Amino acid sequence: MKRRSSFTDQSVTYGAIGATQAPDLLRYPPEGYRPAEDSVKIGSGRERFEKAAEELMTWGVQRGAGFEVLDVTAGTGTQYTGIAYDAEGAPAAGAQPHTEQRFAADGTPYLAAGMTATLRSQRRFGHHDTHVLVVYVIDEPDRIGFAYGTTADGEESGEESFVLERRDDDSVWLVIRSVLQTAGGARAVVAPAVRRRRRELTQRELRALHPAFV
């Protein structure tokens, strides 16, 4: 099975939706955005991949990195299949609904395109909320994951993806890609602190699915 779904009807705070899928993201990011890619090996074998996939697709990275995941709304799962053409060269297909829903062993539904959530992190003085929309989902035999984008003004705007890969040598890797812009205006003075927190967060996210931390 190979499934790709996307949902972009709801407003996000950036224009380059799906940019984390671009193979040349690190060389040619959207103007004004900083790209990043990090990866970590978290084991090997089909069983390890399946277990990590279940954790990943039920917000395991976010919870493992210290977020509370709040206000989750169900996604539509709408799948965009691309444009197919008939024998005369006329468009023959477009957006199609994808009705299949996957669940974890405990019945928790997997993330779906169009799902929204609030990611709450604790700060020294209270908490900070980041509102996100799942903009695409990848579900392939040896590759599974998702990306979300920001939906409200905050310290950063942009997109982050979390993809689990089972490679040819049977090793299992978590790959995290992001394309983010730090808020300008009065908030620009705290940009160095925001970028430092981002690097610390990415390191926690990379560890979240490792067997030693689960």
Side-chain angles (χ1 to χ4, degrees):
M1 178 186 69
K2 179 177 289 190
R3 175 166 65 89
R4 291 178 183 270
S5 57
S6 60
F7 182 93
T8 58
D9 292 336
Q10 186 166 336
S11 177
V12 291
T13 60
Y14 63 104
I17 298 170
T20 50
Q21 296 187 93
D24 56 357
L25 171 68
L26 298 180
R27 293 181 61 192
Y28 303 107
E31 185 176 355
Y33 287 77
R34 64 184 190 279
E37 179 178 309
D38 296 274
S39 61
V40 63
K41 182 179 177 181
I42 61 171
S44 61
R46 170 59 59 182
E47 183 176 352
R48 180 73 192 108
F49 176 80
E50 295 293 348
K51 178 174 175 55
E54 184 171 295
E55 295 164 357
L56 173 68
M57 299 305 290
T58 55
W59 301 102
V61 167
Q62 287 66 40
R63 292 192 172 98
F67 285 110
E68 287 184 84
V69 183
L70 309 171
D71 307 322
V72 177
T73 66
T76 64
T78 300
Q79 175 173 309
Y80 182 71
T81 57
I83 300 176
Y85 296 89
D86 60 23
E88 285 71 41
Q96 300 291 332
H98 186 90
T99 56
E100 179 185 356
Q101 175 67 65
R102 294 184 65 183
F103 297 87
D106 64 359
T108 303
Y110 274 24
L111 281 87
M115 183 175 285
T116 63
T118 298
L119 306 180
R120 175 167 292 178
S121 58
Q122 296 301 317
R123 297 282 177 86
R124 183 177 180 183
F125 302 104
H127 62 262
H128 176 75
D129 290 347
T130 302
H131 305 282
V132 298
L133 166 71
V134 178
V135 294
Y136 68 79
V137 167
I138 296 169
D139 191 349
E140 302 172 4
D142 294 311
R143 192 167 177 261
I144 188 169
F146 65 95
Y148 54 55
T150 53
T151 62
D153 289 338
E155 295 177 337
E156 296 176 304
S157 66
E159 186 174 296
E160 190 171 13
S161 70
F162 308 86
V163 179
L164 199 66
E165 301 176 351
R166 181 169 171 246
R167 298 182 178 176
D168 291 343
D169 63 356
D170 211 28
S171 61
V172 179
W173 291 75
L174 173 64
V175 180
I176 299 176
R177 306 183 95 204
S178 63
V179 54
L180 297 164
Q181 183 180 59
T182 305
R187 292 177 176 173
V189 297
V190 298
V194 171
R195 289 193 288 268
R196 183 175 64 252
R197 281 197 296 267
R198 167 58 53 181
R199 292 307 306 165
E200 293 170 352
L201 170 60
T202 299
Q203 293 307 307
R204 295 198 303 273
E205 290 172 336
L206 288 167
R207 294 195 299 267
L209 299 185
H210 196 283
F213 295 94
V214 174

